[in-house]
């Protein structure tokens, strides 16, 4: 039983947790404990208000945030009740709706969930079908356009300015053809996870009412990041009973480039009736010095919900604003400061983060870290799922699960090579199109026909038998999933394939270790979620499996300001705080400039104890050196909380050097005493 204690909350937090019925907007400033409030709200509803756990839905935007919420709720009310509630991401929630209701839109069950590479493959085929190969239309750009249309929840030509663009109608035609091809393959992309459930709710009133009646309490984390499509989905679910709690901070709305629309949180009191607004302003992360700087910066944005962060930690070191001559000097200064602070204050490397506006800024910092032999990690590196061997095996699982998954079938039919010639594959394509049957049905028909050579028919027969055998084994659910996958890998001779195709023994060993890790991931998933291959494939699509890593490695963290949101570090360095970098050259006009200011605000509020901001006097651009102007945002910080100097004369640097000299003298004295 959840032990509710009023003393655990400040007055504003308590008001949010105890809210009765109706819509509520919780303006949760940085470091104000918003996840904790959502978790306690759920626990209070279930154990004190006797709300059925299955009628509570709480969604967030990242898998990490969803996991953290599930863990917190489970700690408060137990794992069984937590599992009955719907605590997930928007996309996972949508995928579960589709598992039951996608046939209402004319799709088949089971459907395939495709990733970015699959989408790019479809787009290239679309360009080929429309005779636009070799044109100026870049598949990656088209992928962004398609996502933009879907998340805006409009027709292609209804995007701002599209009707007047010379290529507008062609882009609309590409979008429509992509949708047709994707559906013919029974393939659902990432944006479809929300677009298709929303379409079901809009066109199937009985289904909408079913979910609206069942899901009586909706909670949304990071509400400022919602796009038009997600907002529409929430609207449809809240039509009868607006028990909607949204938690977010308009001052941290930094994802407009992904379709996030800050107007959803800014105008929430107008979009719903009788909205209660609660503002969480007490910060439990940073010193007041850091918060004074953050408050002053963000106050320059005129369109916002007014709020002022405060902390009980009144003391704190002044923010350092350091002028450096070049990026190399800037990187050297930051690395030297980290090394000195670690030694003098007995810190760990994990206490430090270096934040920057654009990824290329990390190069010179990396070089200095390598030169100094300091451990570091860059957030946003290559993912386990992107390795070719993992993708191959995921496609094998997809093909065994669903014979409708044409993309998967095409990838694996000759990987490893089966000796099925290009001419035979072309013939299969022709049969599929002319007979209006699926690619798998064409493979099966031709394996039993007389058109192809006997050797090709034999290979196709073996391929069909392989897939049907493993489909039966997976669907029977009588064996552990990992055991079946291990057998599958042996039957396709995949280990021999990577050994023969790798350019070194080390590379082959690394790929073998990745395969072992995938088998382990499947076993771990089954222990957590049960023997459900579709659920695993859905999880892979929404949250690709990662290699197990130390949870909190002792390394300096390098990341972009965008990636830093939601994290915190004792010591933060924001580098390159310069005009045309922060704010970025592409964002010097409103509303983009306000978002750049919010991005700087996010960076400031990542720091718990100390913040250092650096900028250079000149940078190399192409073949010339250009003079640099410090960011306009620096002038927003009150002089009372910031010390502005250059890299050699900073008060902190001098103090650190003196403390370091003192420590060295003590160590030498200890060594002399030992020798004596």
């Amino acid at each position: 039983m959840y032990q509710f204690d009023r003393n655990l909350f400040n007055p504003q937090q308590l008001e949010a947790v105890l809210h009765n019925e109706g819509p509520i907007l919780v303006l949760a400033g940085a470091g104000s404990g918003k996840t904790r409030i959502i978790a306690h709200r759920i626990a209070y509803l279930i154990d004190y208000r006797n709300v059925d756990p299955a009628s509570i839905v709480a969604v967030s935007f990242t898998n990490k945030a969803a996991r953290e919420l599930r863990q917190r709720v489970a700690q408060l009310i137990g794992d069984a009740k937590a599992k009955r509630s719907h605590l997930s991401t928007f996309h996972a929630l949508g995928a579960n709706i589709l598992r039951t209701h996608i046939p209402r839109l004319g799709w088949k069950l089971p459907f395939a969930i495709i990733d970015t590479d699959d989408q790019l493959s479809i787009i290239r085929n679309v360009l080929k079908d429309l005779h636009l190969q070799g044109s100026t239309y870049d598949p990656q750009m088209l992928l962004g356009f398609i996502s933009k249309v879907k998340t805006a929840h409009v027709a292609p030509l209804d995007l701002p300015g599209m009707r007047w663009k010379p290529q507008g109608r062609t882009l609309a035609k590409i979008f429509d053809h992509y949708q047709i091809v994707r559906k013919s393959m029974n393939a659902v992309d990432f944006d479809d996870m929300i677009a298709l459930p929303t379409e079901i709710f809009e066109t199937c009133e009985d289904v909408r009412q079913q979910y609206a009646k069942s899901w009586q309490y909706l909670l949304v984390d990071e509400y400022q990041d919602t796009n038009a499509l997600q907002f529409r989905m929430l609207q449809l679910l809240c039509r009868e009973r607006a028990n909607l709690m949204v938690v977010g901070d308009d001052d941290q709305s930094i994802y407009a480039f992904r379709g996030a629309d800050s107007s959803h949180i800014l105008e929430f009191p107008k979009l719903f009736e009788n909205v209660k607004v609660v503002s969480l302003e007490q910060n439990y992360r940073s010193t007041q010095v850091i918060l004074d700087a953050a408050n002053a910066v963000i106050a320059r944005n005129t369109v916002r919900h007014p709020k002022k962060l405060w902390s009980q930690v009144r003391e704190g070191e002044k923010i350092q604003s350091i002028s450096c001559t070049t990026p190399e000097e800037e990187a050297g200064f930051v690395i030297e400061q980290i090394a000195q602070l670690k030694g003098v204050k007995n810190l760990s490397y994990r206490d430090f983060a270096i934040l920057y506006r654009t990824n290329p800024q990390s190069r010179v910092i990396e070089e200095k870290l390598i030169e100094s032999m300091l451990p570091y990690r860059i957030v946003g590196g290559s993912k386990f799922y992107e390795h070719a061997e993992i993708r191959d095996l995921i496609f094998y699982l997809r093909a065994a699960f669903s014979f409708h998954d044409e993309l998967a079938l095409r990838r694996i039919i000759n990987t490893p090579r089966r000796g099925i010639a290009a001419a035979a594959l072309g013939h299969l394509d022709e049969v599929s199109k002319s007979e209006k049957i699926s690619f798998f049905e064409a493979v099966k028909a031709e394996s039993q026909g007389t058109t192809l050579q006997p050797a090709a028919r034999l290979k196709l027969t073996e391929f069909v038998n392989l897939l049907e055998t493993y489909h039966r084994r997976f669907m029977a659910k009588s064996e552990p999933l990992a055991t079946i996958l291990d057998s599958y890998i042996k039957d396709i001779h995949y280990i021999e394939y990577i050994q023969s195709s790798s350019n070194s023994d080390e590379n082959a060993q690394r790929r073998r270790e990745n395969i072992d890790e995938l088998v382990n991931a499947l076993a771990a998933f089954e222990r957590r979620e049960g023997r459900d291959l579709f659920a695993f494939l859905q999880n892979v699509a929404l949250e690709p499996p990662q290699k197990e890593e130390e949870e909190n490695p002792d390394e300096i963290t390098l990341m972009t300001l965008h990636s830093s949101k939601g994290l915190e570090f004792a010591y933060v360095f924001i580098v390159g705080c310069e005009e045309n970098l922060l704010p970025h050259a592409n964002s010097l006009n409103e509303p983009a400039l306000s978002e750049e200011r919010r991005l700087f605000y996010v960076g400031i509020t990542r720091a718990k104890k100390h913040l250092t901001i650096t900028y250079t006097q000149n940078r190399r651009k192409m073949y010339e050196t250009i003079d640099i102007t410090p960011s306009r945002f620096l002038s927003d910080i009150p002089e009372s909380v910031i010390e502005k100097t250059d890299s050699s004369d900073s008060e902190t640097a001098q103090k650190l050097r003196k403390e370091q000299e003192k420590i060295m003298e003590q160590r030498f004295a200890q060594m002399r005493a030992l020798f004596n």
Side-chain angles (χ1 to χ4, degrees), residues 516-527:
D516 290 343
E517 191 61 40
L518 178 64
V519 176
N520 292 339
L522 185 54
F525 179 86
E526 183 175 340
R527 285 194 297 272

Side-chain angles (χ1 to χ4, degrees), residues 35-36 38-39 42 58-76 79 82-83 86-90 92 221 383 524-525 528-529 539-540 542-549 551 567:
T35 306
R36 178 170 166 269
I38 296 171
I42 293 169
V59 289
S60 55
F61 283 81
T62 67
N63 295 295
K64 181 181 176 184
R67 273 197 308 273
E68 183 184 348
L69 180 60
R70 281 195 297 269
Q71 289 165 0
R72 290 198 185 198
V73 172
Q75 287 168 0
L76 294 173
D79 199 46
K83 280 186 173 178
H86 306 276
L87 314 177
S88 70
T89 62
F90 264 108
D221 190 13
K383 296 176 180 175
F525 179 86
R528 291 193 314 270
E529 307 293 340
N539 193 67
V540 165
L542 299 178
E543 183 179 7
Q546 301 289 324
K547 270 190 153 181
E548 290 294 323
E549 293 180 358
E551 188 165 317
L567 303 177

Side-chain angles (χ1 to χ4, degrees), residues 368-424:
K368 291 292 183 182
L369 284 165
I370 293 168
E371 185 182 304
S372 304
M373 294 187 291
L374 298 185
Y376 70 95
R377 66 188 180 110
I378 295 183
V379 172
S382 93
K383 296 176 180 175
F384 175 64
Y385 177 63
E386 292 170 355
H387 294 297
E389 59 274 12
I390 301 304
R391 287 181 60 76
D392 284 345
L393 294 177
I394 292 297
F395 276 99
Y396 265 100
L397 288 173
R398 281 170 49 175
F401 178 73
S402 172
F403 302 145
H404 300 305
D405 195 339
E406 186 174 328
L407 285 165
L409 290 168
R410 288 180 180 279
R411 175 162 180 135
I412 66 171
I413 194 168
N414 247 348
T415 305
R417 293 196 67 81
R418 290 186 170 79
I420 302 171

Side-chain angles (χ1 to χ4, degrees), residues 416-450:
R417 293 196 67 81
R418 290 186 170 79
I420 302 171
L425 292 173
H427 175 70
L428 293 171
D429 275 337
E430 290 175 11
V431 171
S432 174
K433 288 176 183 175
S434 62
E435 299 294 326
K436 292 183 171 53
I437 57 177
S438 71
F439 185 73
F440 180 77
E441 289 168 330
V443 170
K444 193 168 184 178
E446 292 305 299
S447 70
Q448 300 165 357
T450 57

Side-chain angles (χ1 to χ4, degrees), residues 187-229:
V188 170
D189 66 30
F190 192 66
D191 293 318
D192 288 331
M193 304 285 186
I194 302 170
L196 294 178
T198 301
E199 186 180 346
I200 290 170
F201 290 160
E202 288 179 330
T203 57
C204 306
E205 179 61 15
D206 60 321
V207 178
R208 189 200 67 78
Q209 286 188 11
Q210 172 191 330
Y211 282 96
K213 184 178 179 182
S214 176
W215 293 348
Q216 296 181 14
Y217 291 86
L218 299 179
L219 301 93
V220 184
D221 190 13
E222 301 288 8
Y223 183 68
Q224 75 279 351
D225 295 336
T226 52
N227 58 41
L229 186 60

Side-chain angles (χ1 to χ4, degrees), residues 249-495:
D249 183 6
D250 51 296
D251 290 336
Q252 295 186 72
S253 179
I254 59 173
Y255 294 125
F257 66 96
R258 293 181 188 168
D261 187 347
S262 59
S263 70
H264 296 151
I265 190 167
L266 289 169
E267 299 177 12
F268 188 82
K270 300 175 186 174
L271 296 170
F272 293 88
E273 293 182 2
N274 303 317
V275 172
K276 175 182 277 191
V277 179
V278 176
S279 189
L280 307 183
E281 298 181 354
Q282 183 174 357
N283 176 285
Y284 296 90
R285 175 190 300 157
S286 307
T287 66
Q288 191 61 49
V289 167
I290 291 168
L291 298 181
D292 285 345
N295 287 332
V297 167
I298 203 62
R300 294 295 300 273
N301 278 1
T302 55
V303 183
R304 60 186 290 263
H305 288 292
K307 65 188 85 68
K308 195 169 185 179
L309 298 179
W310 62 275
S311 170
Q312 290 184 337
V313 184
R314 310 305 296 181
E315 307 82 17
E317 298 178 19
K318 280 189 175 184
I319 293 166
Q320 300 292 300
S321 170
I322 308 297
S323 169
C324 304
T325 307
T326 64
E328 289 74 21
E329 183 185 298
E330 178 183 48
F333 169 78
V334 170
I335 304 317
E336 181 186 359
Q337 289 287 289
I338 290 174
Q340 290 180 347
L341 282 164
K342 182 181 184 298
V344 169
K345 296 185 180 291
N346 195 27
L347 300 169
S348 301
Y349 288 117
R350 68 172 67 93
D351 292 321
F352 299 94
I354 304 172
L355 312 181
Y356 36 82
R357 176 63 177 83
T358 64
N359 279 305
Q361 290 174 258
S362 69
R363 181 194 59 80
V364 65
I365 299 169
E366 279 191 84
E367 289 175 356
K368 291 292 183 182
L369 284 165
I370 293 168
E371 185 182 304
S372 304
M373 294 187 291
L374 298 185
Y376 70 95
R377 66 188 180 110
I378 295 183
V379 172
S382 93
K383 296 176 180 175
F384 175 64
Y385 177 63
E386 292 170 355
H387 294 297
E389 59 274 12
I390 301 304
R391 287 181 60 76
D392 284 345
L393 294 177
I394 292 297
F395 276 99
Y396 265 100
L397 288 173
R398 281 170 49 175
F401 178 73
S402 172
F403 302 145
H404 300 305
D405 195 339
E406 186 174 328
L407 285 165
L409 290 168
R410 288 180 180 279
R411 175 162 180 135
I412 66 171
I413 194 168
N414 247 348
T415 305
R417 293 196 67 81
R418 290 186 170 79
I420 302 171
L425 292 173
H427 175 70
L428 293 171
D429 275 337
E430 290 175 11
V431 171
S432 174
K433 288 176 183 175
S434 62
E435 299 294 326
K436 292 183 171 53
I437 57 177
S438 71
F439 185 73
F440 180 77
E441 289 168 330
V443 170
K444 193 168 184 178
E446 292 305 299
S447 70
Q448 300 165 357
T450 57
T451 307
L452 296 176
Q453 294 293 320
R457 294 203 304 273
L458 176 62
K459 296 296 182 184
L460 292 178
T461 300
E462 291 173 350
F463 182 62
V464 169
N465 290 341
L466 174 82
L467 294 182
E468 290 182 336
T469 296
Y470 280 94
H471 178 78
R472 286 192 296 271
R473 289 181 67 177
F474 280 120
M475 294 305 102
K477 298 184 178 182
S478 58
E479 306 169 75
L481 298 177
T483 300
I484 304 173
L485 176 57
D486 193 52
S487 173
Y488 204 178
I489 291 166
K490 288 173 183 171
D491 278 355
I492 62 175
H493 308 292
Y494 199 81
I495 301 304

Side-chain angles (χ1 to χ4, degrees), residues 576-604:
C577 193
E578 305 156 13
E579 287 293 299
N580 298 319
L581 263 181
L582 183 65
H584 195 273
N586 297 336
S587 305
L588 300 180
N589 297 310
E590 296 294 354
L593 182 60
S594 289
E595 179 152 324
E596 290 289 300
R597 189 175 281 109
R598 293 195 290 267
L599 190 58
F600 186 46
Y601 170 85
V602 165
I604 292 172

